[in-house]
Amino acid sequence: MRDKKREWLVIVATRRHFVGLDGLKGIALIAIVLYHCDEGALHGGFFGVDVFFTISGFLIFSSLLNHIDSGRGLGLGEYYLKRFRRIYPAFFMLIPMTTTLAWFVNKDMLVGIRDQIMTALLGCYNWYAISSGASYFSQMNPDMFRHLWFMSLLMQFYLIAPFVVLLLRRIISRWVPVAILAALAVGSAVSMGLQYQPGADPTRVYFGTDTHAMGLWLGAMLAWMLPIMRRERGKNIGSWMERFHTAWNRIGPVAAFVSLLALLWMMRHVSQGPVAFRGGIFVASLLALVLIAGSIPFGSWMQDLLVFKPLAFIGHHSYGIYLWHWPLWLLVKAMFPQWGMRVDRMLLITVVLTILFAMLSWKLFERPVMRGGFGALVDISGKDGTRGIVRSFITIVMLIALCGTGDYAVIHAPVSTSVEQTLASNARMLLEQGRHADWNRARPPAPRKPMHKMPDGSQMTAIGDSVMLASSKGLQDMFPNIIVDAEVSRAMTMAQGLIDQQKSQGNLRPWVLVGLATNTVVTEDQLDALHDDIGPDRVLVLINAHAPVSWVPGTNDVLRNYAKAHSNNVVLVDWDKAISAHADELAGDGIHPGMANTIYAQAVKDSISDWIKQGH
């Protein structure tokens, strides 16, 4: 008998648990949490999802194939019951607890909550988010359960996996199923690349079951390959397979380690954009595949790295931690910004609360159901001793209390957020003013050069997005008779059209305020076109952005550099700096100021005043 250390991919398993995979899941989960809570700290943390997908595809297909090879058949009933028991008990505590907390902390988080809950429970939240226009990559009023798109896609894969295995098992040639699974992975990656549109919201290609399943199929491919390779090696001693096995024993752990380093580099340097959606996510899935293949063989020194206890603990409880971290982060953000708390401290509080709630859910709901079925939740028979009776009693009390308060919160959830209500009110006010105002459209005044003194409202036209809309009352109070044209969801790509519209109406005045930096990237070419459209006889006042989204820092740099390069007739308003000193004045989304707030208008006035004093 050959030395076990030379047996390639003799999988070390304890109760069907692959050694090292918990450590991989721990690394992936840390990346995901950092990305969700502080995207600036890890721009590509979303690649952690693809590590999870690859591991999940590998484990599910391995389980199904092992069940068949053991002579027990596919066991559909047992398979689906096991998945059901693993997924749903955690929801029993998560949903009512977080909806109850949201009712007391920030009711805006409950907008659309019923649809979120129903689609998450049915395993189709990803398609609901796509159809409803909810964006994964926007921090503005994010859904409390938007992170469950991942579970929905996984549940859909769980649903079809047994039937895929049955179909592939009917193919006589051993390697054809491997090729089919590889083709499915490549097809998913190609579909993502073709459907991705630069500059557009990538939620469709990121959430789509068809476009983001490459990791699942690659993991399934590896699971299918392993038993074939073991059997073929046993039949053909001395063949190319034998030589490949021997070589992989040496280079496998090294390849896994290099793959881990490459993944970490991607998580740090590759952000959401063409690189990620046109191959980057597929590459991350391939790296995860190599990482798995080089870590699970018997004797691989990578196992010694991945069984590090803190990582293994996080990986073992990754499901619960994943479920809890996002709604708790939203709740902590809603509670603490007005106290001036830093992001790192809010993140620490979120991590502590997440671990506490995840462990409580594990002990009271998830583990009892996995061991004894759903009846174990309320079993007070005493067969598990006094501790079991106490646990069941606590579980029953929590279920009754949380379901009552959670149901109340869901039933009475608001239809729209307070910010949306404020913006709608301001929009109606501006529309009504536009109907009755006389801007002397019949005889528009000829543009004149700026007088280099503080303008009044009659000399100013303001064009902006929802942040300007929220600040419109403050602008009108500080600059009476200013024209304010502001609506939600506007971006700098619309600036020229809006300017031309004001020109055609005779409303483009000598001072033009443009606040369109919140919702998308701003480029120098866009600013050049805008600057040319306004003309040299007007002053362009650019207002930068304040929002917890990835493109804002870069956009603000572009605006600052452009204003500096065209300082003769371009003024920069540093709204980001002004509002950062008064974070308590922002709504719960961390973006929009209150309706009666004058910080926006004051920032405009101060910036123009400073510009004039500099002699421009």
Side-chain angles (χ1 to χ4, degrees):
M1 181 181 294
R2 295 178 178 270
D3 187 348
K4 286 186 176 181
K5 290 186 178 181
R6 296 191 60 215
E7 291 291 334
W8 184 71
L9 292 180
V10 176
I11 308 303
V12 179
T14 304
R15 298 180 182 178
R16 300 179 184 176
H17 183 73
F18 291 95
V19 173
L21 292 191
D22 276 345
L24 294 183
K25 289 191 286 185
I27 294 171
L29 185 62
I30 291 171
I32 293 169
V33 171
L34 284 175
Y35 174 76
H36 282 167
C37 300
D38 186 12
E39 184 182 337
L42 207 64
H43 298 293
F46 56 88
F47 288 123
V49 166
D50 302 290
V51 177
F52 267 108
F53 277 151
T54 309
I55 293 174
S56 298
F58 172 72
L59 291 177
I60 286 300
F61 265 61
S62 294
S63 176
L64 288 168
L65 292 172
N66 287 338
H67 207 276
I68 293 174
D69 291 341
S70 67
R72 293 175 292 169
L74 197 59
L76 278 179
E78 179 185 348
Y79 168 81
Y80 285 123
L81 180 61
K82 186 175 180 180
R83 302 280 83 74
F84 193 83
R85 286 180 174 180
R86 182 66 189 100
I87 293 171
Y88 283 95
F91 290 158
F92 295 166
M93 180 176 171
L94 173 77
I95 293 174
M97 176 66 80
T98 52
T99 51
T100 299
L101 291 173
W103 177 262
F104 291 105
V105 173
N106 182 10
K107 292 183 177 65
D108 287 352
M109 294 173 61
L110 296 174
V111 173
I113 197 66
R114 276 165 284 193
D115 290 339
Q116 292 180 50
I117 292 173
M118 288 302 300
T119 53
L121 291 176
L122 292 173
C124 58
Y125 174 83
N126 59 328
W127 290 109
Y128 158 74
I130 291 170
S131 63
S132 65
S135 175
Y136 176 71
F137 296 92
S138 173
Q139 297 288 340
M140 303 177 193
N141 301 320
D143 289 351
M144 187 161 66
F145 296 130
R146 78 174 187 185
H147 64 313
L148 296 185
W149 75 271
F150 167 79
M151 287 307 305
S152 292
L153 202 153
L154 204 55
M155 289 162 71
Q156 292 158 31
F157 181 77
Y158 288 165
L159 187 65
I160 67 170
F163 302 102
V164 174
V165 169
L166 283 177
L167 288 173
L168 294 181
R169 292 278 291 193
R170 293 179 178 273
I171 299 175
I172 298 175
S173 176
R174 291 180 176 181
W175 290 101
V176 170
V178 174
I180 291 174
L181 292 170
L184 288 171
V186 172
S188 180
V190 170
S191 179
M192 173 179 278
L194 291 176
Q195 294 189 51
Y196 171 72
Q197 297 296 325
D201 182 6
T203 298
R204 165 62 184 90
V205 297
Y206 194 71
F207 278 13
T209 311
D210 54 336
T211 52
H212 202 164
M214 62 282 284
L216 291 164
W217 295 123
L218 286 174
M221 180 190 73
L222 178 62
W224 202 282
M225 287 173 60
L226 297 187
I228 296 176
M229 298 180 78
R230 287 198 299 268
R231 285 193 293 266
E232 289 202 0
R233 188 198 174 196
K235 293 179 180 178
N236 300 286
I237 302 299
S239 65
W240 69 269
M241 188 69 70
E242 171 79 13
R243 294 192 297 273
F244 177 77
H245 290 166
T246 302
W248 187 256
N249 278 331
R250 296 193 301 269
I251 67 173
V254 176
F257 184 71
V258 172
S259 297
L260 176 60
L261 294 180
L263 271 170
L264 294 176
W265 184 90
M266 291 179 67
M267 290 174 180
R268 183 67 183 89
H269 297 283
V270 180
S271 58
Q272 38 181 291
V275 173
F277 297 108
R278 290 179 172 169
I281 289 176
F282 184 65
V283 170
S285 302
L286 285 174
L287 291 173
L289 187 75
V290 176
L291 186 50
I292 295 169
S295 299
I296 60 176
F298 181 86
S300 171
W301 50 262
M302 275 295 291
Q303 290 180 5
D304 296 334
L305 299 179
L306 297 174
V307 296
F308 180 54
K309 287 187 177 180
L311 280 181
F313 173 85
I314 294 171
H316 183 67
H317 296 284
S318 57
Y319 177 53
I321 293 173
Y322 182 83
L323 290 185
W324 282 97
H325 84 276
W326 175 248
L328 288 176
W329 169 248
L330 295 181
L331 289 163
V332 170
K333 278 208 307 180
M335 291 173 62
F336 290 111
Q338 57 265 41
W339 296 357
M341 184 166 289
R342 289 167 19 193
V343 172
D344 55 346
R345 293 178 183 174
M346 288 192 291
L347 179 58
L348 177 61
I349 292 172
T350 301
V351 169
V352 172
L353 291 176
T354 296
I355 292 174
L356 289 175
F357 278 108
M359 293 309 299
L360 189 63
S361 174
W362 170 255
K363 291 183 179 298
L364 294 182
F365 293 90
E366 299 169 57
R367 185 169 62 179
V369 171
M370 288 177 64
R371 289 181 173 179
F374 288 92
L377 288 176
V378 293
D379 183 8
I380 55 174
S381 63
K383 63 181 181 181
D384 292 330
T386 304
R387 180 177 296 181
I389 296 176
V390 172
R391 182 203 54 76
S392 296
F393 179 76
I394 294 173
T395 303
I396 293 170
V397 171
M398 285 189 66
L399 279 173
I400 295 173
L402 289 176
C403 287
T405 55
D407 285 348
Y408 181 87
V410 171
I411 292 170
H412 295 87
V415 177
S416 59
T417 67
S418 58
V419 171
E420 291 171 335
Q421 295 167 14
T422 298
L423 296 179
S425 175
N426 283 10
R428 288 192 297 268
M429 177 187 68
L430 293 178
L431 181 62
E432 192 66 22
Q433 289 175 348
R435 287 174 179 168
H436 299 290
D438 180 12
W439 305 124
N440 194 16
R441 293 186 177 89
R443 300 180 61 188
R448 64 182 187 275
K449 292 186 69 174
M451 300 302 295
H452 287 193
K453 65 180 182 180
M454 179 59 63
D456 57 36
S458 64
Q459 297 175 289
M460 305 172 76
T461 300
I463 296 171
D465 52 27
S466 59
V467 176
M468 183 181 285
L469 179 58
S471 309
S472 57
K473 187 176 185 302
L475 283 172
Q476 291 176 325
D477 289 345
M478 189 158 293
F479 302 102
N481 298 317
I482 186 176
I483 296 176
V484 180
D485 178 10
E487 291 182 6
V488 298
S489 301
R490 281 182 173 175
M492 191 64 75
T493 53
M494 306 167 64
Q496 277 189 275
L498 296 169
I499 291 295
D500 292 341
Q501 181 180 346
Q502 293 296 331
K503 277 184 179 180
S504 67
Q505 297 173 354
N507 291 335
L508 196 65
R509 293 169 169 176
W511 294 76
V512 183
L513 280 62
V514 177
L516 294 169
T518 306
N519 294 311
T520 190
V521 173
V522 174
T523 67
E524 186 176 350
D525 289 342
Q526 291 171 344
L527 296 177
D528 278 335
L530 175 62
H531 191 227
D532 293 342
D533 201 24
I534 287 174
D537 294 325
R538 294 186 177 90
V539 177
L540 174 60
V541 181
L542 295 172
I543 305 169
N544 71 10
H546 176 87
V549 290
S550 60
W551 60 78
V552 163
T555 286
N556 287 350
D557 287 341
V558 170
L559 292 171
R560 181 176 59 254
N561 293 335
Y562 194 85
K564 184 177 180 181
H566 301 80
S567 59
N568 285 337
N569 66 338
V570 178
V571 181
L572 177 69
V573 178
D574 196 346
W575 163 243
D576 181 47
K577 181 179 179 181
I579 195 59
S580 293
H582 302 278
D584 56 321
E585 297 289 342
L586 290 172
D589 61 4
I591 299 170
H592 297 89
M595 184 174 180
N597 193 284
T598 61
I599 296 176
Y600 190 93
Q602 189 64 51
V604 171
K605 184 176 181 179
D606 291 344
S607 298
I608 293 175
S609 177
D610 291 342
W611 182 79
I612 292 173
K613 289 177 182 178
Q614 292 170 11
H616 296 299

